[in-house]
Amino acid sequence: MIVGLTGGIGSGKTMVGKIFKDIGVPVYNSDKEAKRLMKSSKKIRKAVRELLGDDAYAGKELNRAFIANRVFQDKSLLHKLNTIVHPAVREDFTSWAKKQESAYVIQETAIIFENSMQSFYDRIILVTAPEEIRLKRILARDDGSKSKVLDRMQNQRKDSENIPLSDFVIDNVELDQTYLKVLEVNKDLLEYSGR
Ligand code: ATP
């Protein structure tokens, strides 16, 4: 059984993913694995170089600042980059998922609804938190400016649009409440899986 874990920037997808991991559920972090694949897969490196130029890599390392800058300025480049990276991540996730022996696995990804990928998942968990809290978290975590974070938030779908499309909503404000909710969701998912 495949469970999607999603939510807006700074909602706490990775944090919630960590709690599921702690209670023994295999969690695939799409963002992290995409970066790994962009670095390690020869095929992807070649395609990214062809699309963005040799500066996309500094030696073996991904030149993230350069890539972010290029795709931030040109939406069609972002779309083309996604058509290189997303299918590779999907393939990698699928082969990873087949190797797991648990009742269900979780794929953490920011883009389930944006890419209309709902049908890929048996169940979808949405992580939410008020925008001002999300903003504070991101500013505390990353170097970026307030306006850039607000810009990204404005470009994402609203929680109110995503809630009706999700099977579970985890409102992640107080961590102990989040933890209890994860236990509850896990219980439901185990029941649903029939294991
Ligand atoms: P992104 O969209 O940028 O990938 P995300 O949704 O995965 O973000 P996290 O990285 O899990 O969000 O959380 C953002 C920051 O907020 C992290 O520094 C994390 O430690 C912190 N954080 C998450 N949840 C809570 C919480 N309930 N209480 C306090 N801090 C939290």
Side-chain angles (χ1 to χ4, degrees):
M1 186 163 98
I2 294 177
V3 176
L5 174 64
T6 194
I9 177 172
S11 57
K13 296 177 288 297
T14 302
M15 177 68 92
V16 170
K18 273 187 192 143
I19 302 176
F20 274 102
K21 231 182 204 170
D22 284 348
I23 61 168
V25 180
V27 178
Y28 183 97
N29 178 325
S30 302
D31 221 33
K32 188 174 128 211
E33 301 304 333
K35 281 174 191 141
R36 178 183 60 78
L37 289 168
M38 284 176 81
K39 191 176 156 187
S40 66
S41 153
K42 270 195 184 151
K43 197 172 135 197
I44 297 181
R45 288 175 74 96
K46 185 165 175 281
V48 171
R49 272 216 173 88
E50 277 168 11
L51 179 70
L52 302 173
D54 285 341
D55 285 342
Y57 291 90
K60 287 206 157 179
E61 293 303 314
L62 257 187
N63 188 348
R64 282 203 227 153
F66 174 83
I67 295 175
N69 210 14
R70 290 285 322 264
V71 302
F72 190 71
Q73 286 169 8
D74 185 340
K75 283 256 150 66
S76 76
L77 272 185
L78 175 62
H79 178 72
K80 284 180 190 153
L81 181 64
N82 287 342
T83 60
I84 297 169
V85 178
H86 291 171
V89 171
R90 202 149 52 240
E91 197 182 303
D92 186 64
F93 167 76
T94 305
S95 82
W96 170 88
K98 280 190 186 135
K99 290 185 213 140
Q100 310 306 317
E101 288 172 355
S102 50
Y104 69 95
V105 296
I106 289 182
Q107 182 178 27
E108 178 197 335
T109 164
I111 47 166
I112 294 180
F113 303 118
E114 276 78 359
N115 288 3
S116 303
M117 286 295 293
Q118 293 93 304
S119 64
F120 184 72
Y121 301 96
D122 297 294
R123 285 290 184 267
I124 293 175
I125 302 170
L126 177 71
V127 183
T128 61
E131 285 198 355
E132 60 280 10
I133 292 183
R134 291 162 50 200
L135 176 65
K136 268 194 203 146
R137 284 177 184 164
I138 297 301
L139 292 178
R141 191 193 62 187
D142 303 339
D143 286 335
S145 69
K146 185 174 170 180
S147 65
K148 264 197 182 159
V149 183
L150 285 172
D151 207 45
R152 277 190 66 188
M153 266 184 190
Q154 245 99 70
N155 276 314
Q156 289 186 330
R157 288 165 58 93
K158 296 261 160 289
D159 284 346
S160 56
E161 297 173 88
N162 292 338
I163 288 170
L165 303 176
S166 305
D167 300 288
F168 302 98
V169 177
I170 299 183
D171 195 38
N172 171 40
V173 180
E174 296 297 335
L175 264 185
D176 38 356
Q177 292 301 315
T178 301
Y179 185 78
L180 291 176
K181 185 71 186 178
V182 166
L183 296 183
E184 194 186 307
V185 171
N186 176 57
K187 196 165 165 268
D188 278 6
L189 286 170
L190 289 176
E191 253 167 43
Y192 176 69
S193 76
R195 283 227 213 159

